[in-house]
Amino acid sequence: MAAWNFWATRWMKMWGKSAVMTKAEVVQPELRMMADNLIKEIRDAHRDWVNAQRHFEYALGKDQIDYAIFAIEAAEKRYEMLLRHAKSLKVAWSAHREADVG
């Protein structure tokens, strides 16, 4: 094991990297995964909001209209909440937009 550490350290130094991962290198993949999950949740919330609006367009009767309005408001609030959360985390959207286009 000691020999492996010796050669790994030499290789990392030769290529300009330290053998010990920094805290940022450890945390970065976790943040990326959390951002990806949050963006998926935002897309799902937007889809739910659009579907609730469609449901309202086809609602018949007072009860269905009341339910549709409640569903729209709930979906809109969830969508807004997730957007605020993404904004507070400073999620980078550019990579995800390119994935949608390409």
Side-chain angles (χ1 to χ4, degrees), residues 4 6-7 12-14 16 20 22-23 27 32 34 42 45 50 53 56 59 64 69 73 76 85 100:
W4 182 85
F6 171 77
W7 289 109
M12 295 292 233
K13 284 181 182 177
M14 183 171 43
V20 178
T22 65
K23 184 177 180 182
V27 173
R32 178 67 179 175
M34 189 168 66
I42 289 170
V50 170
Q53 291 170 345
F56 176 76
Q64 285 186 1
I69 291 170
E73 290 175 351
E76 183 179 9
H85 185 60
D100 290 341

Side-chain angles (χ1 to χ4, degrees), residues 21-39 85 89 91 96:
M21 292 180 69
T22 65
K23 184 177 180 182
E25 290 173 329
V26 172
V27 173
Q28 203 64 6
E30 292 175 11
L31 291 176
R32 178 67 179 175
M33 188 171 69
M34 189 168 66
D36 290 344
N37 290 338
L38 183 57
I39 289 171
H85 185 60
L89 294 178
V91 173
H96 297 282

Side-chain angles (χ1 to χ4, degrees), residues 50-61 63-65 68 72:
V50 170
N51 287 339
Q53 291 170 345
R54 283 192 192 125
H55 182 74
F56 176 76
E57 292 172 8
Y58 294 102
L60 302 172
D63 290 339
Q64 285 186 1
I65 291 171
I72 289 171

